[in-house]
Amino acid sequence: DSARVISSMLDIVMIRTFGHDIVERFASYSTVPVINALTDDHHPCQLLADMQTFTEHRGSIQGKTVAWIGDGNNMCNSYIEAAHMWGFKLKIATPKGYEPQQKFLTEFAHCAELVGSAEDAAVNADLIVTDVWASMGQEEEQKIREKAFADYQVNERLMDLAHPDCLFMHCLPAHRGEEISENMLDHKNAVVWDEAENRLHAQKALVEFLINENLKKD
Ligand code: NVA
């Protein structure tokens, strides 16, 4: 009911929530485009900004190697889908029990693989990415996760294993001293501030694209 009424009043809707099914269900009743601003399963808008940022700094990401180090969460799932869409190879290092959903690993086995350690993922990477250890809604798991993820911190030592030009990204907010070392955001190859700014530019482009596409339907 909300989707029907809200979409009769607006040109576009953007929803950040927990269950992915909530966005899917809203979209199926909406007459205007619905953007996923983050669910438990996916965070596609962040990927638009990340891909824009990589391209600005290093050119095409096609054929490059990207290391996802940390939780097999919404960001990780969106990186798996991005690996398929943009044509890069994704190496995923997560602690046991925190892997991305098997259905994604199976569907995207041609471009994404689990590796045994953070070091294995980092070697020769062109981009290293991580995210908080406890996502929104998992705050009560913080202490357990700090133990589980202790070997998965992105730090200067890990960056030294990567390609010399390897970029570092983080969708923010970051927890210095947890998933990243204290100074990681100031690393010479960290591009997190451009990445954060590009959320604005990438999403403006997305809104323009979707509104124009929707107008074509009328
Ligand atoms: N995985 C994080 C991303 C925050 C932008 C979360 O869902 O909280």
Side-chain angles (χ1 to χ4, degrees):
D1 297 349
S2 302
R4 284 180 170 136
V5 174
I6 290 170
S7 65
S8 75
M9 299 172 175
L10 302 173
D11 296 306
I12 198 156
V13 177
M14 188 161 186
I15 300 177
R16 174 171 283 206
T17 186
F18 293 100
H20 188 74
D21 58 307
I22 296 170
V23 175
E24 296 271 4
R25 187 147 183 261
F26 191 102
S28 70
Y29 289 98
S30 171
T31 54
V32 298
V34 177
I35 299 174
N36 175 0
L38 180 148
T39 65
D40 285 342
D41 291 353
H42 301 281
H43 195 8
C45 286
Q46 183 67 51
L47 263 293
L48 291 181
D50 286 19
M51 295 300 100
Q52 179 185 359
T53 308
F54 189 94
T55 307
E56 285 175 348
H57 282 269
R58 296 286 184 262
S60 172
I61 198 167
Q62 189 174 13
K64 303 286 188 191
T65 300
V66 178
W68 175 267
I69 295 172
D71 195 10
N73 62 10
N74 45 9
M75 276 295 297
C76 181
N77 290 339
S78 287
Y79 257 94
I80 294 172
E81 291 180 322
H84 173 70
M85 293 175 77
W86 271 273
F88 59 84
K89 181 175 180 187
L90 184 66
K91 292 187 184 175
I92 303 166
T94 66
K96 279 211 174 354
Y98 295 94
E99 298 89 353
Q101 292 169 34
Q102 188 55 47
K103 66 175 180 181
F104 289 120
L105 293 172
T106 305
E107 183 177 351
F108 297 103
H110 56 283
C111 57
E113 60 166 343
L114 277 182
V115 297
S117 67
E119 288 75 13
D120 287 346
V123 170
N124 293 327
D126 298 294
L127 167 64
I128 292 180
V129 199
T130 191
D131 187 8
V132 289
W133 289 340
S135 285
M136 286 176 249
Q138 298 171 336
E139 291 79 5
E140 73 287 353
E141 297 176 29
Q142 177 68 26
K143 287 287 161 222
I144 297 170
R145 283 172 171 262
E146 279 175 20
K147 281 201 188 114
F149 286 86
D151 294 334
Y152 291 81
Q153 184 188 75
V154 176
N155 50 37
E156 294 74 1
R157 182 185 60 81
L158 224 48
M159 289 296 287
D160 286 344
L161 298 174
H163 191 276
D165 281 344
C166 179
L167 296 177
F168 169 69
M169 294 190 201
H170 188 308
C171 60
L172 302 180
H175 295 184
R176 292 170 176 82
E178 293 181 24
E179 78 278 2
I180 53 165
S181 54
E182 291 290 341
N183 297 319
M184 197 55 227
L185 297 184
D186 304 311
H187 189 280
K188 67 179 174 47
N189 289 0
V191 289
V192 289
W193 311 124
D194 287 348
E195 181 190 7
E197 180 186 328
N198 280 337
R199 291 296 304 275
L200 173 68
H201 308 306
Q203 285 178 206
K204 280 164 69 178
L206 177 62
V207 167
E208 182 188 36
F209 171 79
L210 291 173
I211 286 180
N212 284 338
E213 287 297 298
N214 207 42
L215 283 176
K216 283 186 206 161
K217 284 195 219 149
D218 294 339

